[in-house]
Amino acid sequence: MWLEKSDYTFDQYKDVLTYLPQYSKNIFRPGYFSWLVGQMKNWSTFSWYLVAFNFIVQVVLMIQGWTSVPVSHSIIGFLSANLSVLCVVGISNKSAIQGWFGLTSAVFIALNAYLAHNFADMTLQIFYIIFLDLFCILSPSWNDNVKVHSMGGVKGWLKYLLLFVVLWGLIYYLYGLINDPRLFLDSLTLAISLTAAVMEFNLLRQQYYLWTLGSIITIGLWLQTALQGAANYALVASYLVFLLNDLYAFFGNQGWFVKQEVVTGYGQKESN
């Protein structure tokens, strides 16, 4: 089976959907926005360097992009690139504000992808909104105290390799029917991300390999898109920042493969 019965992430989905009225009280409560912003005070220095670096690069790319793409496209690219980096940095720092940054960035990236005809990437962003961002907003402790584990050798890798091949073949065929102009990279991006998402749902430590590979492939997708004149280089730059963040998660002293925590629950404090 692709999804384990004891999987913690799916228990979280069940918990939020079962007690949705209670979880809905987590948003827009008194002091909610100051609480969200206050979480950013605990971000690491490296995270703020990434945010500042990306913002400066995006300002330059937005101004330069006005000569090659419509101004509206440049603004959308600017917003999607900055918000997406804030989302990724929020995830790295385990901040609940990531849900809002994820939701807003996914909306703008999906719009950017639609304008560039990267339809598979647009689908991916919609997937993030429905299955990740909204749940992170409803349950502020969504990423608290998650304990990951190993997939278990060659047999585990082969299972997910088969899943990836099936997904890629299906996505390639379906999006070929609508004449996706960058079918190879666009379908590859979606297939890798969906496979990584299944690994994430099963709390596998090796998911980070696929997310990193997905960042690299997505850089190629938006680089090709920019070279063909369908977008500027905003998302190329932001995904390069994603890659730096992934490398930090690999090698940082509190990175993905170093820090281990114990599962405690699914946001009971927030749902009361």
Side-chain angles (χ1 to χ4, degrees):
M1 294 177 64
W2 295 111
L3 305 173
E4 302 295 335
K5 292 183 180 179
S6 61
D7 183 76
Y8 167 74
T9 302
F10 278 90
D11 286 345
Q12 284 184 287
Y13 280 109
K14 180 181 177 180
D15 189 71
V16 172
L17 293 174
T18 301
Y19 302 102
L20 187 59
Q22 292 93 322
Y23 274 99
S24 65
K25 296 177 182 179
N26 288 331
I27 59 176
F28 306 133
R29 61 185 185 268
Y32 179 67
F33 290 104
S34 60
W35 171 76
L36 281 177
V37 175
Q39 295 178 57
M40 300 170 69
K41 297 178 181 178
N42 297 321
W43 287 5
S44 68
T45 302
F46 176 79
S47 295
W48 282 113
Y49 282 150
L50 284 181
V51 171
F53 171 75
N54 180 71
F55 179 79
I56 294 170
V57 170
Q58 295 303 333
V59 169
V60 174
L61 290 176
M62 181 178 65
I63 296 173
Q64 290 182 337
W66 293 346
T67 61
S68 57
V69 297
V71 173
S72 58
H73 289 43
S74 294
I75 294 175
I76 291 170
F78 175 81
L79 292 172
S80 59
N82 282 288
L83 288 168
S84 61
V85 168
L86 286 167
C87 173
V88 169
V89 168
I91 293 172
S92 296
N93 288 276
K94 296 181 173 63
S95 300
I97 197 173
Q98 63 156 299
W100 286 106
F101 285 140
L103 175 64
T104 52
S105 66
V107 169
F108 283 109
I109 293 175
L111 180 56
N112 214 21
Y114 172 77
L115 294 172
H117 296 168
N118 289 337
F119 299 119
D121 196 27
M122 180 187 71
T123 303
L124 178 61
Q125 301 307 316
I126 296 172
F127 173 87
Y128 287 154
I129 292 171
I130 297 173
F131 294 103
L132 292 176
D133 300 327
L134 291 176
F135 283 92
C136 286
I137 291 171
L138 288 167
S139 177
S141 63
W142 186 262
N143 288 320
D144 287 357
N145 302 318
V146 175
K147 186 177 181 180
V148 296
H149 56 268
S150 177
M151 71 166 58
V154 175
K155 184 177 179 180
W157 276 110
L158 289 175
K159 180 172 71 171
Y160 284 96
L161 178 61
L162 176 61
L163 174 63
F164 162 73
V165 170
V166 171
L167 286 173
W168 192 16
L170 181 62
I171 293 167
Y172 190 93
Y173 172 75
L174 291 176
Y175 285 87
L177 297 176
I178 57 175
N179 298 317
D180 189 309
R182 286 161 288 276
L183 182 57
F184 180 83
L185 288 178
D186 202 15
S187 61
L188 181 59
T189 298
L190 180 55
I192 289 176
S193 298
L194 290 180
T195 305
V198 174
M199 294 174 69
E200 179 182 1
F201 293 156
N202 284 319
L203 299 176
L204 298 178
R205 183 181 292 110
Q206 289 80 2
Q207 65 173 278
Y208 236 107
Y209 290 124
L210 266 72
W211 289 125
T212 303
L213 178 60
S215 294
I216 296 172
I217 299 300
T218 310
I219 290 170
L221 170 64
W222 285 101
L223 179 60
Q224 183 182 33
T225 304
L227 289 173
Q228 293 177 350
N232 65 6
Y233 291 87
L235 288 176
V236 176
S238 67
Y239 279 104
L240 282 169
V241 174
F242 288 5
L243 185 58
L244 289 175
N245 189 72
D246 289 339
L247 294 176
Y248 179 72
F250 274 120
F251 302 112
N253 57 11
Q254 291 190 350
W256 187 253
F257 291 94
V258 177
K259 189 175 182 180
Q260 294 293 319
E261 298 183 54
V262 179
V263 175
T264 59
Y266 317 126
Q268 291 89 337
K269 290 183 180 179
E270 290 79 3
S271 62
N272 290 334

